[in-house]
Amino acid sequence: MSRSDFAGFDSLAIHAGQEFDPATGAVIPPVHFSTTYAQDGIGGLRGGYEYGRSGNPTRTALETQLAAIEGGQHGLSFASGLAAEDALLRSVLKPGDEVLLGNDVYGGTYRLIARVLAPWGVGLRVVDMSDLDQVAAALEERPARMVWVETPSNPLLRITDIAGLARLGHAAGAVVVVDNTFASPALQRPLSLGADVVVHSTTKYLGGHSDVVGGALVMNDDALAEQARFLQFAAGAVSGPLDAWLTTRGIKTLGVRMQRHSENGDAVARFLDAHPGVARVYYPGLESHPGHELAASQMSAFGGIVSLALPDAATARRFAESTRLFTLAESLGGVESLLNYPDAMTHASVRGTELAVPEEVVRLSVGIESRDDLLADLEQALATAG
Ligand code: PLP
């Protein structure tokens, strides 16, 4: 039995793509910074590497690891989540094609389609993906080339039935894409539920330490992977070697981090739910969440993102500016707790659109700090805001 025969999630996260250095036996493969590769005679490539944009061993190691943890055949790594999204969108869509998009996705995804691709003739329709009747009606009215969902969604934590969505999308001839950034493959594997492509902002949980921006695509379809890989090479939004290496290092601890994020997320959600100063809590782990049963069936835990509504926008803003351990900052998924006011921060680009986030909502990315400290910080911030 060799190391590659061990197939548990954490074993794959730690070992997939991590071959010992053949020259030295170094257990951690070196970071390859070289932009070019010596050829043994014209076209005589060692290991297939030619030039840093077309391939790099550190990036290959990450791409192997990404494919393994999502249970897919092909992993592709990019300079950012949006670069990965852009490559996927442009490798699938032609002018006249349409994307059916969840009404609660990352604002930048909406912006990319609505403001960058729409002028090139790509159409966009938005529906509530957590309601499959709405999806079926939209696809019946007009087929879409691509169906794109985030589940749990950002920032309202809506849950979509991935298997049901995949059936509807495939019946309409669409490519079904799941942005798995919030759950990560430690908690949810969309390809196994029928999705065609998984998208990640690896900037978030996969990197896990808020120190590297990156993105990824994982898929099984060979032809689709070839198209996306061509665009990765031809447009060039690849991840650099050090970024790829940092992401690989982060992924090795993804399983244990997600466990702790989920435990802390659950504790924070229940604390807020019982607090008189909080109007509403959005967390799929709460039994009162409308998607709770579904989330429990397609996720192994509920993750570390908790959103809450305060009684009004002014209180939400005061609360957002009153925490001490939770840092007021964009992004999510790092070991440290962050707080985001979507209306003016991550989702400012969708203000006034059908994706606008209510002004009284605050999103927490619950880190892996000591639970009592997290709760004490929220308690004092609520007292200050209220
Ligand atoms: N998808 C989700 C769910 C996100 O939250 C983000 C960024 O916040 C992105 C995609 C875009 O990723 P990046 O910022 O790495 O380009």
Side-chain angles (χ1 to χ4, degrees):
M1 198 168 187
S2 79
R3 279 192 308 146
S4 57
D5 295 322
F6 294 94
F9 179 83
D10 293 307
S11 308
L12 291 172
I14 292 166
H15 295 293
Q18 303 299 296
E19 305 312 326
F20 304 146
D21 176 38
T24 63
V27 169
I28 303 304
V31 187
H32 291 262
F33 286 106
S34 187
T35 57
T36 190
Y37 301 84
Q39 304 194 6
D40 298 321
I42 295 169
L45 306 180
R46 303 181 195 178
Y49 294 104
E50 181 177 38
Y51 179 59
R53 172 162 41 72
S54 54
N56 166 289
T58 309
R59 196 167 83 231
T60 304
L62 169 59
E63 293 183 332
T64 304
Q65 187 190 28
L66 287 164
I69 58 173
E70 281 289 1
Q73 290 298 315
H74 307 281
L76 287 82
S77 165
F78 292 84
S80 71
L82 281 174
E85 295 186 15
D86 179 49
L88 175 65
L89 289 160
R90 286 195 287 139
S91 53
V92 172
L93 302 170
K94 294 186 301 304
D97 287 341
E98 215 169 50
V99 182
L100 191 64
L101 188 69
N103 67 348
D104 191 13
V105 299
Y106 171 58
T109 301
Y110 178 85
R111 180 181 56 208
L112 175 62
I113 301 171
R115 297 192 41 199
V116 179
L117 295 183
W120 293 85
V122 169
L124 172 65
R125 275 186 297 160
V126 172
V127 292
D128 177 357
M129 294 277 176
S130 65
D131 179 357
L132 289 187
D133 290 341
Q134 273 196 42
V135 178
L139 290 174
E140 217 159 279
E141 186 188 324
R142 213 166 50 245
R145 181 74 187 99
M146 184 179 273
V147 172
W148 185 297
V149 70
E150 271 175 44
T151 178
S153 68
N154 179 7
L156 297 179
L157 288 304
R158 290 199 183 102
I159 302 295
T160 294
D161 174 357
I162 296 174
L165 184 74
R167 274 194 297 276
L168 285 177
H170 291 156
V175 175
V176 176
V177 181
V178 176
D179 183 330
N180 202 27
T181 298
F182 267 37
S184 94
L187 306 185
Q188 170 176 280
R189 285 190 276 291
L191 298 179
S192 72
L193 297 166
D196 299 302
V197 186
V198 167
V199 172
H200 277 285
S201 168
T202 59
T203 315
K204 311 299 184 322
Y205 285 111
L206 270 57
H209 297 74
S210 305
D211 55 11
V212 57
V213 172
L217 302 175
V218 183
M219 62 198 84
N220 282 317
D221 188 274
D222 295 341
L224 190 56
E226 198 181 314
Q227 278 170 288
R229 203 168 278 292
F230 175 73
L231 211 71
Q232 181 194 41
F233 158 72
V238 295
S239 41
L242 190 55
D243 289 0
W245 185 81
L246 280 168
T247 306
T248 281
R249 187 169 71 163
I251 289 173
K252 292 180 182 182
T253 56
L254 181 65
V256 287
R257 283 188 285 107
M258 290 314 292
Q259 217 171 348
R260 181 67 174 265
H261 280 297
S262 297
E263 286 163 14
N264 281 356
D266 189 73
V268 162
R270 288 178 199 282
F271 166 81
L272 294 172
D273 201 36
H275 198 287
V278 175
R280 182 167 172 190
V281 179
Y282 305 83
Y283 185 67
L286 293 178
E287 294 72 16
S288 56
H289 186 288
H292 173 69
E293 297 292 324
L294 183 57
S297 72
Q298 64 185 19
M299 300 173 73
S300 58
F302 302 103
I305 306 298
V306 180
S307 292
L308 64 149
L310 284 299
D312 51 59
T315 313
R317 282 178 167 267
R318 274 197 304 277
F319 171 73
E321 292 175 347
S322 300
T323 54
R324 292 171 194 152
L325 190 55
F326 283 81
T327 301
L328 178 63
E330 300 207 2
S331 202
L332 57 100
V335 292
E336 65 291 307
S337 292
L338 299 180
L339 181 151
N340 162 51
Y341 181 60
D343 175 62
M345 294 169 63
T346 51
H347 289 63
S349 66
V350 291
R351 244 188 199 161
T353 74
E354 55 227 301
L355 274 77
V357 178
E359 289 181 335
E360 56 285 351
V361 166
V362 172
R363 185 189 75 191
L364 304 177
S365 173
V366 181
I368 64 172
E369 297 97 333
S370 307
R371 191 176 315 170
D372 290 349
D373 290 340
L374 294 171
L375 300 185
D377 189 33
L378 296 172
E379 177 78 69
Q380 69 76 26
L382 284 166
T384 307

